[in-house]
């Protein structure tokens, strides 16, 4: 009975301007500040507001954006970047070497910044001339360019840093932030002074957080949205059958993981947090292949590692373990006497709820009493950062460099290390892997690292995504990227 009511409402709002693109998001963003941001949907909105020093192309090659070229020092301890001439921030101020230095220093030093770990190997940023900067490194750092292709490379107008702390963002991208109404909409409008103005055709983009995938589909079918991200796999046939719509997919860098609180506050003080045997029992109770078939119609890739199966850094000596209910029961009995209860926190969208319910049922057969706590996404994220959880179902959109898919969760200073897992030996392996560009050396180090975190199990990695979009047939110029980010350059409405 809900969908007809929602359909009536969206039809009232379906008369947007032909140059206004409306995108349905699976959840609302956190604060719109690249220094503080930690959500995937935040990155979707940043793509319209904030250009980066560099970007990736659909093949994951680093390409110029605000920087036009770069060279690494012969000793591996510097990176020199040439900046694009004539670029201005949305407040009219110039983007120059001083602005880049101010941004990187803010990301490295501001108490609110979550970019400190990503930029930890950067010792200083030097202004070589008005359009050249040099990153001086404490040690060789292979992921640096990949880091600068994401939030740490987004340039905010230095005079607006204080405003950005509160989400009033002014950047050097194609759209200005006009309005944000929490849980309802984010509106951005074309910046006429954008350096790459010829690539921008849309006057406005409206982002609408709609957690229910079925409601997002109804809005798309009704013409109240032109794009929905993370289309539910079960909705693919409906999109394909509608001549007014188009289905687009690509293999993702992103994955789902079950983060377990092992050392962050009083909620970690349980057998699940303290005892690796309980976490091993939980993993043995989970059937990843069944999760994929039931929830995702077999479209995703079962996985037990933060690096995708088939990638150069996947550890094939540790394949996805099959479900072993007898082992799960035996491990739990040895650790707790046979029964243990914990709370599994999940975003309150139907897909994640279904995943959580399947984990609840499978773990229940092994002796776990799992209570599901469904929260709005930003509330869930805030709780996780504060250690207010026992286990939480999380999504990581993935990055081109392997380090950014591992260290964020598992390094002692990882910015998403909510559960405060800390293994100095693991940190040493990850540090050595970041310090070399030799693929064979990095492979060996990441596999040695996997042996440690796969045995400790502070995370249970569940599956890698296929990125699924539903589009109105009116949308042209949409390019699918494996990071899932919707880039507005080249897009238009016919």
């Amino acid at each position: 009975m809900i969908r007809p009511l929602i359909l009536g409402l969206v039809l009232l709002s379906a008369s947007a301007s032909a140059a206004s693109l409306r995108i349905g998001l699976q959840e609302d963003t956190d604060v719109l500040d690249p220094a503080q941001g930690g959500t995937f949907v935040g990155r979707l909105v940043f793509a319209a507001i904030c250009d980066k020093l560099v970007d990736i192309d659909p093949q994951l090659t680093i390409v110029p954006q605000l920087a036009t070229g770069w060279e690494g020092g012969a000793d591996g301890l510097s990176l020199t970047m040439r900046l694009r001439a004539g670029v201005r921030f949305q407040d009219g101020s110039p983007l120059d070497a001083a602005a880049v230095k101010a941004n990187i220093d803010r990301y490295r030093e501001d108490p609110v910044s979550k970019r400190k770990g990503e930029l930890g190997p950067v010792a200083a940023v030097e202004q070589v001339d008005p359009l050249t900067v040099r990153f001086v490194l404490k040690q060789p750092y292979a992921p640096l360019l990949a880091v600068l292709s994401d939030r740490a490379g987004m340039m905010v107008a230095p005079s607006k840093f204080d405003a950005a702390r509160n989400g009033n963002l002014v950047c050097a991208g194609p759209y200005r932030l006009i309005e944000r109404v929490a849980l309802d909409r984010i509106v951005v409008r074309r910046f006429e002074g954008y350096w790459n103005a010829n690539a921008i055709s849309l006057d406005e983009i409206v982002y609408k957080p709609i957690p229910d995938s079925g409601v997002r589909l109804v809005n798309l079918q009704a013409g109240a949205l032109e794009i929905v991200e993370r289309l539910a796999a079960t909705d693919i046939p409906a999109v394909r059958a509608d001549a007014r719509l188009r289905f687009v997919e690509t293999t993702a860098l992103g994955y789902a993981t079950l983060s377990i609180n092992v050392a962050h506050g009083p909620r970690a003080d349980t057998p699940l947090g303290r005892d690796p045997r309980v976490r091993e029992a939980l993993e043995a109770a989970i059937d990843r292949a069944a999760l994929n078939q039931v929830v995702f119609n077999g479209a995703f890739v079962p996985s037990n590692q933060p690096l995708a199966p088939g990638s150069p850094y996947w550890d094939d000596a540790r394949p996805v373990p099959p479900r072993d209910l007898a082992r799960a029961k035996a491990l739990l009995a040895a650790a707790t006497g046979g029964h243990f209860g914990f709370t599994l926190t999940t975003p309150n969208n139907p897909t994640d709820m279904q995943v959580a319910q399947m984990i609840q049922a499978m773990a229940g057969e092994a002796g776990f009493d799992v209570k599901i706590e469904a929260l709005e996404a930003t509330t869930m994220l805030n709780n996780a950062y504060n250690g207010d959880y026992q286990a939480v179902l999380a999504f990581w959109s993935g990055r081109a460099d392997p380090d950014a898919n591992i260290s964020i969760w598992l390094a002692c200073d990882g910015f998403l290390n909510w559960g405060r897992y800390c293994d100095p030996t693991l940190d040493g392996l990850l540090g050595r892997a970041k310090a070399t560009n030799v693929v064979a050396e990095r492979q060996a180090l990441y596999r040695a690292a996997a042996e440690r975190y796969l045995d400790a199990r502070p995370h249970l990695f569940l599956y890698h995504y296929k990125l699924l979009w539903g589009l109105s047939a009116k949308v042209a110029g949409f390019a699918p990227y494996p990071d899932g980010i919707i880039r507005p350059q080249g897009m238009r409405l016919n």
Side-chain angles (χ1 to χ4, degrees):
M1 297 301 293
I2 294 176
R3 287 194 179 187
L5 173 61
I6 293 170
L7 180 58
L9 291 173
V10 296
L11 286 173
L12 293 175
S13 62
S15 57
S17 161
S20 179
L21 179 75
R22 294 157 299 178
I23 300 176
L25 307 177
Q26 183 165 287
E27 60 263 344
D28 200 7
T29 72
D30 55 352
V31 63
L32 288 176
D33 174 12
Q36 301 178 73
T39 61
F40 170 63
V41 288
R43 294 174 71 223
L44 289 178
V45 178
F46 287 143
I49 304 171
C50 299
D51 276 8
K52 300 162 291 191
L53 291 173
V54 294
D55 199 5
I56 60 169
D57 67 13
Q59 290 72 47
L60 303 180
T61 302
I62 301 292
V63 296
Q65 196 165 62
L66 296 174
T68 59
W70 49 88
E71 298 91 26
D75 58 2
L77 294 177
S78 67
L79 176 72
T80 302
M81 280 190 152
R82 297 180 300 279
L83 304 177
R84 192 175 298 279
V87 177
R88 294 202 168 265
F89 290 103
Q90 293 148 2
D91 66 352
S93 60
L95 187 144
D96 55 15
V100 172
K101 174 177 170 54
N103 271 272
I104 301 301
D105 286 348
R106 179 186 179 228
Y107 291 141
R108 293 171 54 232
E109 299 167 359
D110 192 320
V112 304
S113 176
K114 294 186 173 75
R115 312 281 80 85
K116 293 177 184 177
E118 301 163 33
L119 292 169
V122 177
V125 180
E126 299 174 346
Q127 301 174 55
V128 178
D129 61 43
L131 289 177
T132 308
V133 293
R134 179 177 295 119
F135 292 78
V136 180
L137 304 179
K138 304 171 188 174
Q139 62 210 39
Y141 185 41
L144 181 57
L145 279 172
V147 164
L148 297 175
S149 74
D150 194 47
R151 295 183 188 94
M154 295 178 185
M155 295 293 105
V156 178
S159 65
K160 299 297 190 292
F161 284 169
D162 287 343
R165 288 171 69 98
N166 297 313
N168 299 314
L169 191 57
V170 176
C171 282
Y175 291 87
R176 295 178 293 113
L177 178 63
I178 299 299
E179 179 186 29
R180 178 177 185 181
V181 179
L183 303 177
D184 183 71
R185 65 186 178 274
I186 297 168
V187 180
V188 301
R189 198 160 294 149
R190 180 158 56 176
F191 170 46
E192 298 298 339
Y194 181 51
W195 67 270
N196 194 18
N198 290 339
I200 301 300
S201 299
L202 300 166
D203 293 325
E204 183 179 82
I205 304 176
V206 181
Y207 300 90
K208 297 283 294 181
I210 304 173
D212 191 305
S213 57
V215 175
R216 289 201 303 280
L217 176 63
V218 167
N219 276 262
L220 182 67
Q221 292 169 324
L225 294 172
E226 282 76 40
I227 299 178
V228 296
E229 58 96 14
R230 282 178 283 177
L231 182 76
T234 50
D235 290 335
I236 294 172
V239 173
R240 282 180 162 157
D242 191 331
R244 302 167 302 166
L245 305 179
R246 186 158 56 97
F247 171 66
V248 177
E249 66 176 329
T250 193
T251 301
L253 295 170
Y255 56 83
T257 182
L258 199 64
S259 170
I260 296 170
N261 189 349
V262 298
H264 191 180
R267 295 198 71 183
D269 190 18
T270 70
L272 184 67
R274 293 192 306 263
D275 194 333
R277 295 175 298 171
V278 177
R279 301 193 290 274
E280 185 177 357
L282 179 59
E283 178 171 47
I286 295 173
D287 187 333
R288 291 172 170 86
L291 273 177
N292 182 41
Q293 289 298 326
V294 173
V295 182
F296 304 109
N297 284 0
F300 287 5
V301 182
S303 180
N304 66 324
Q305 300 176 36
L307 304 168
S311 79
Y313 298 101
W314 166 263
D315 185 356
D316 53 14
R318 298 292 295 261
V320 177
R323 189 186 194 212
D324 189 338
L325 188 57
R327 178 168 176 75
K329 290 179 177 179
L331 284 164
L332 192 61
T336 70
H339 291 279
F340 167 68
F342 71 92
T343 298
L344 172 57
T345 304
T346 179
N348 65 345
N349 65 75
T351 300
D352 286 331
M353 282 289 295
Q354 191 175 1
V355 171
Q357 288 161 359
M358 283 197 67
I359 291 173
Q360 180 187 50
M362 290 187 289
E365 294 179 4
F368 288 93
D369 179 14
V370 181
K371 176 185 176 183
I372 294 175
E373 176 186 46
L375 298 176
E376 186 273 327
T378 52
T379 301
M380 187 198 82
L381 186 64
N382 288 334
N383 287 0
Y385 277 121
N386 292 326
D388 186 11
Y389 78 103
Q390 292 178 318
V392 62
L393 186 63
F395 163 69
W396 178 242
S397 51
R399 300 295 186 272
D401 189 273
D403 178 73
N405 298 312
I406 304 172
S407 294
I408 44 112
W409 302 113
L410 296 163
C412 295
D413 64 351
F415 88 93
L416 294 179
N417 189 350
W418 302 323
R420 301 283 174 85
Y421 171 72
C422 187
D423 175 357
T425 299
L426 175 63
D427 268 23
L429 291 166
L430 296 176
R432 289 164 58 197
K434 286 187 284 191
T436 177
N437 283 302
V438 179
V439 171
E441 292 178 7
R442 297 189 89 193
Q443 286 174 322
L445 289 162
Y446 284 129
R447 287 173 182 171
E451 291 302 310
R452 297 195 68 83
Y453 64 72
L454 291 178
D455 285 344
R457 295 178 177 82
H459 279 259
L460 301 182
F461 302 99
L462 298 173
Y463 47 84
H464 273 76
Y465 283 79
K466 284 284 189 71
L467 290 166
L468 313 175
W469 293 275
L471 279 68
S472 164
K474 297 177 182 178
V475 175
F478 174 85
Y481 281 68
D483 62 1
I485 304 304
I486 300 171
R487 291 158 171 83
Q489 289 84 353
M491 291 181 62
R492 64 186 188 279
L493 290 174
N494 293 329

